[in-house]
Amino acid sequence: AQSVSQHNHHVILSEAASLELGCNYSYGGTVNLFWYVQYPGQHLQLLLKYFSGDPLVKGIKGFEAEFIKSKFSFNLRKPSVQWSDTAEYFCAVIGYNFNKFYFGSGTKLNVKP
Amino acid sequence: GAGVSQSPSNKVTEKGKDVELRCDPISGHTALYWYRQSLGQGLEFLIYFQGNSAPDKSGLPSDRFSAERTGGSVSTLTIQRTQQEDSAVYLCASSPVRTEAFFGQGTRLTVV
């Protein structure tokens, strides 16, 4: 079975600090990669996605992620977080022959004002 | 345009009762997924529909769980004889084909 690992379960940062959330997946074939965000009381929303091409992808709200194929990683970054970034972040993977999206266990980010 | 719509948004039911959860996907999306999210847990896959057929039911926890999709659109997840461990947020998502999944708000199910 495929798996997605998010190493940080709970991250606490002060505003303006830089953020990097790790994501590793286990599948060796071609994959589509995603980061989703769930703000308190809201539904899951797409933050950014990678299908092919430039491995550095930019998403909404100043987030970016880098796909490193050799490391099976898709880490999420933001240079300067805001209080409004407080949310739970999920990494997800789907492969060509997959019947489902595999999600990581999520990382709760708490940004202190 | 309209997103994925789920109803009810909240459901409290007594242990042993049956419940039906509904999902209206985005029009034209052929793929539909059900996941559930328990407190402190990640997203647990339940079932995948491609059109009206369900090629992957591997995530359904027991035979008390069933789902159907009609007209390549609306899907219903049914839980029979609910148990307290069924309490969770049930999420529905639709997708064109293996591109990003669009999620609904979820149905919070509480079994008392």
Side-chain angles (χ1 to χ4, degrees), chain A residues 32 34 36 38 41-44 46 49 51 88 90 94-105, chain B residues 33 35 37 40-43 45 48 55-56 58-59 91 95 97-106:
Chain A
N32 292 340
F34 310 86
Y36 284 86
Q38 189 171 31
Q42 296 190 27
H43 65 284
L44 279 159
L46 183 69
K49 61 188 177 187
F51 291 168
E88 190 160 15
F90 293 90
I94 190 165
Y96 181 74
N97 290 323
F98 291 6
N99 285 333
K100 58 194 165 203
F101 292 81
Y102 287 87
F103 285 85
S105 56
Chain B
Y33 306 84
Y35 285 81
Q37 189 175 22
Q41 304 293 315
L43 277 76
F45 168 77
Y48 157 65
D56 192 340
S58 63
L91 298 172
S95 173
V97 178
R98 291 188 182 86
T99 56
E100 65 262 37
F102 294 82
F103 283 85
Q105 292 273 15

Side-chain angles (χ1 to χ4, degrees), chain A residues 26 31 65 70 86:
Chain A
S26 61
V31 293
S70 61
T86 294

Side-chain angles (χ1 to χ4, degrees), chain B residues 4-108:
Chain B
V4 177
S5 177
Q6 291 188 247
S7 61
S9 53
N10 278 287
K11 176 74 176 177
V12 180
T13 189
E14 292 181 352
K15 178 180 172 181
K17 301 284 190 183
D18 297 351
V19 295
E20 281 191 357
L21 312 180
R22 177 186 168 103
C23 173
D24 275 285
I26 293 172
S27 177
H29 282 188
T30 56
L32 186 147
Y33 306 84
W34 284 97
Y35 285 81
R36 74 177 175 181
Q37 189 175 22
S38 303
L39 193 63
Q41 304 293 315
L43 277 76
E44 177 188 4
F45 168 77
L46 298 178
I47 188 168
Y48 157 65
F49 287 93
Q50 180 59 38
N52 288 339
S53 65
D56 192 340
K57 305 178 183 180
S58 63
L60 294 177
S62 74
D63 58 8
R64 296 187 295 104
F65 287 71
S66 63
E68 64 175 12
R69 188 180 184 192
T70 54
S73 181
V74 172
S75 176
T76 303
L77 177 69
T78 301
I79 309 173
Q80 295 178 311
R81 306 181 303 281
T82 51
Q83 303 294 312
Q84 287 187 330
E85 62 262 29
D86 299 335
S87 296
V89 177
Y90 288 81
L91 298 172
C92 176
S94 70
S95 173
V97 178
R98 291 188 182 86
T99 56
E100 65 262 37
F102 294 82
F103 283 85
Q105 292 273 15
T107 294
R108 182 176 297 278

Side-chain angles (χ1 to χ4, degrees), chain A residues 69-84:
Chain A
K69 188 173 182 179
S70 61
K71 294 185 178 180
F72 299 91
S73 70
F74 190 56
N75 292 354
L76 181 71
R77 299 195 291 250
K78 185 170 183 179
S80 176
V81 296
Q82 301 174 311
W83 177 77
S84 58

